[in-house]
Amino acid sequence: MKKYIIKGGTALAGEVEIGGAKNAALGIVAAAIMADETVTIDNLPDVTDINVLIDTIEGIGATVERVNRHCVKINGRTVASVHADNDYIKKTRGSYYLVGALLGKFEKAEVTLPGGCNIGSRPIDQHIKGFSMLGADVKIEYGMIVAEAEKLCGAHIFFDRVTVGATINVMLAASLAQGNTIIENAAKEPHVVDVANMLNSMGANIKGAGTDVIRIKGVAKLHGTEYSVIPDQIEAGTFMFAAAATRGNVLVKNVIPKHLEALTAKLYEVGCSVEEYDDAVRVIGNPVQKCSQVQTLVYPGFPTDMQPQITVIFALAQGTSTVTENIFDNRFKYVDELTKMGAKIRVEGNIAVVEGVKGFTGASVNALDLRAGAALVLAGLCADGYTTIDDIHYIQRGYEKFDEKLQSLGAVIEIVDNDRDEQRFKLKAV
Ligand code: EPU
């Protein structure tokens, strides 16, 4: 089983290039099958979740040409089935965007129920509510979401809670519905805006994405386009926090600094320096960092996908910090793994009380989900000695060449497959 091995203690230094946003790309790849012309998508991250989705749309008949690792051409004219189900797609979350895309285009979709990281209960009631209001009959049968409409018609939808997934999914379906749709209490995340921009470049008529009211005028069909995915806010944030946690100095390139403001603000609070450029940010981690507090919120608040990573920073800061998780109900499982490395964290309900320690010590830990896994890598980079992280397939779902990018910043990290590789790494890293 492949794992990361890390020899901690190096302050990261240098420059790193951020790839396309995974969670935008999931919506964008699904949207691409809605046209009967070629859609070229660039700046795609080469990560498992995206590759599985691309394989799945190819599996239902879409014509897919992989131009290079980050660019794909998709033509939905050849889609021959509305039934999307395979062993891999079951494990991902973004599969549910195929419901919106297929329902919009064919007024029928049968898509396996979404998997994704185990970070608490993840209902899809708001997706179902949205599709139902557009006139679809939606059932959960044999592990599938089955949605069908005689005619998809625009509707006035008020989400009961802010959800990225349901906002994007309803936007997809409503783009090809008859008449006007209004989504109230919509999610405002940058990836919602990116999917809306991409749909508009295919001829959709979506206004207001990025605010909490999105208005969609249904159009008869969508056409081909060329589109480049926005930079990944969470990958960028993870490298920014890696620089801070290791007390390093890293220029994080190809980012939209505006999307990172909640993260930048926290870095200032703990006493790091952040320099902002047009499309880059430099983070300089001060040797002594202060405690603070954070609450995860919907955009533009602090993102839940950066919660485990900021906990690592707080765990090495002076004083006691608090981390409140408001989005998912079970996103602190990684705390037990951090504790094995010497962190002092007490979880009470949705709040983690983090007492700063002087340092971590290397240990064998498990990546329990994507962002928790990334946080353990950050902890390993700061720890004295060797850390091994199992189940790195979670991390590879959302971080492209994570180990190689970190190596380029001076980190001593490798993927190893067996004990012999591990021993070889340790001899080399001494
Ligand atoms: N929710 C409902 N009902 C619904 C939909 C959501 O109650 O029908 C709840 C969820 O259980 C959660 C909250 O609403 O408590 C927010 O869920 P949201 O729909 O916004 O999240 P998601 O679509 O399941 C996406 C990302 C997550 C990211 C969240 C929040 C994808 C594939 N996943 O999940 O990304 O944490 O938005 O920003 O886009 C990750 O990349 O590591 C990841 C988990």
Side-chain angles (χ1 to χ4, degrees):
M1 197 68 124
K2 288 195 167 123
K3 49 185 164 183
Y4 286 138
I5 181 160
I6 302 170
K7 181 169 192 286
T10 310
L12 299 188
E15 300 182 357
V16 65
E17 189 92 24
I18 298 307
K22 167 185 79 91
N23 290 343
L26 289 168
I28 285 170
V29 167
I33 63 168
M34 296 174 76
D36 284 340
E37 295 173 2
T38 299
V39 171
T40 305
I41 309 171
D42 210 348
N43 204 33
L44 267 181
D46 182 14
V47 295
T48 324
D49 273 11
I50 298 300
N51 293 328
V52 162
L53 185 61
I54 293 175
D55 288 348
T56 304
I57 62 166
E58 199 169 16
I60 57 171
T63 306
V64 173
E65 183 197 337
R66 290 183 189 256
V67 180
N68 59 46
R69 272 184 42 226
H70 298 126
C71 180
V72 68
K73 286 180 189 284
I74 295 169
N75 192 319
R77 192 173 44 81
T78 48
V79 172
S81 166
V82 294
H83 184 91
D85 182 21
N86 63 49
D87 281 349
Y88 298 109
I89 199 78
K90 279 194 182 83
K91 295 181 186 143
T92 72
R93 195 90 205 141
S95 56
Y96 56 29
Y97 293 140
L98 291 177
V99 181
L102 290 168
L103 187 64
K105 184 169 186 183
F106 299 108
E107 292 176 328
K108 181 154 195 206
E110 294 171 6
V111 179
T112 190
L113 279 165
C117 285
N118 182 3
I119 48 184
S121 136
R122 299 181 78 176
I124 53 164
D125 58 304
Q126 298 303 302
H127 301 243
I128 294 175
K129 168 177 163 168
F131 296 141
S132 305
M133 291 193 73
L134 294 176
D137 179 31
V138 189
K139 288 182 283 205
I140 307 293
E141 277 179 353
Y142 305 105
M144 310 282 289
I145 308 170
V146 180
E148 193 167 7
E150 257 175 42
K151 184 183 277 181
L152 219 53
C153 292
H156 195 151
I157 300 164
F158 203 118
F159 282 132
D160 299 315
R161 64 175 298 163
V162 178
T163 135
V164 171
T167 301
I168 291 180
N169 231 340
V170 168
M171 244 169 31
L172 289 165
S175 291
L176 286 177
Q178 207 173 65
N180 298 340
T181 296
I182 301 175
I183 305 176
E184 307 233 30
N185 202 20
K188 296 181 280 201
E189 269 66 3
H191 33 297
V192 173
V193 179
D194 206 34
V195 177
N197 287 341
M198 187 271 186
L199 282 164
N200 283 342
S201 79
M202 293 170 75
N205 187 337
I206 304 173
K207 296 208 167 81
T211 74
D212 43 26
V213 183
I214 299 180
R215 293 169 200 277
I216 305 158
K217 272 191 186 153
V219 296
K221 62 178 190 164
L222 297 172
H223 54 68
T225 188
E226 289 182 9
Y227 197 80
S228 184
V229 179
I230 52 164
D232 196 305
Q233 170 203 10
I234 305 301
E235 187 195 8
T238 302
F239 279 97
M240 290 165 73
F241 283 18
T246 61
R247 278 62 179 162
N249 180 338
V250 175
L251 186 67
V252 183
K253 290 164 62 173
N254 185 34
V255 300
I256 300 175
K258 174 90 193 135
H259 294 168
L260 303 170
E261 279 173 352
L263 310 178
T264 306
K266 282 295 151 201
L267 288 173
Y268 283 134
E269 277 176 33
V270 298
C272 296
S273 310
V274 184
E275 295 163 10
E276 283 188 17
Y277 304 94
D278 286 349
D279 61 354
V281 288
R282 177 180 295 283
V283 176
I284 304 169
N286 270 350
V288 179
Q289 295 178 16
K290 292 176 281 190
C291 55
S292 183
Q293 54 83 30
V294 74
Q295 298 219 17
T296 62
L297 292 168
V298 295
Y299 189 82
F302 188 91
T304 174
D305 291 344
M306 287 300 299
Q307 182 259 96
Q309 300 90 315
I310 197 149
T311 301
V312 170
I313 292 189
F314 286 168
L316 292 171
Q318 270 185 343
T320 302
S321 307
T322 56
V323 180
T324 307
E325 173 57 53
N326 291 315
I327 307 296
F328 291 106
D329 59 19
N330 194 7
R331 210 170 191 175
F332 281 128
K333 280 185 297 178
Y334 66 90
V335 160
D336 288 344
E337 303 303 292
L338 274 184
T339 304
K340 291 181 192 162
M341 302 178 71
K344 283 196 182 159
I345 306 173
R346 198 175 69 248
V347 177
E348 289 168 8
N350 69 330
I351 300 177
V353 180
V354 187
E355 201 185 311
V357 294
K358 285 217 155 49
F360 294 144
T361 47
S364 264
V365 290
N366 278 310
L368 300 170
D369 66 66
L370 166 58
R371 308 303 172 187
L376 291 172
V377 172
L378 265 51
L381 294 172
C382 301
D384 184 40
Y386 297 97
T387 298
T388 54
I389 301 172
D390 271 310
D391 289 330
I392 61 170
H393 56 92
Y394 283 115
I395 303 174
Q396 290 167 332
R397 291 170 77 145
Y399 291 91
E400 180 178 333
K401 294 188 183 295
F402 198 32
D403 51 323
E404 291 179 28
K405 289 187 182 185
L406 288 166
Q407 281 164 3
S408 76
L409 298 172
V412 187
I413 176 171
E414 259 180 36
I415 296 180
V416 291
D417 215 353
N418 51 50
D419 289 348
R420 227 183 38 211
D421 283 357
E422 206 172 312
Q423 286 312 322
R424 200 176 299 132
F425 173 90
K426 286 183 177 168
L427 286 172
K428 215 168 53 184
V430 169

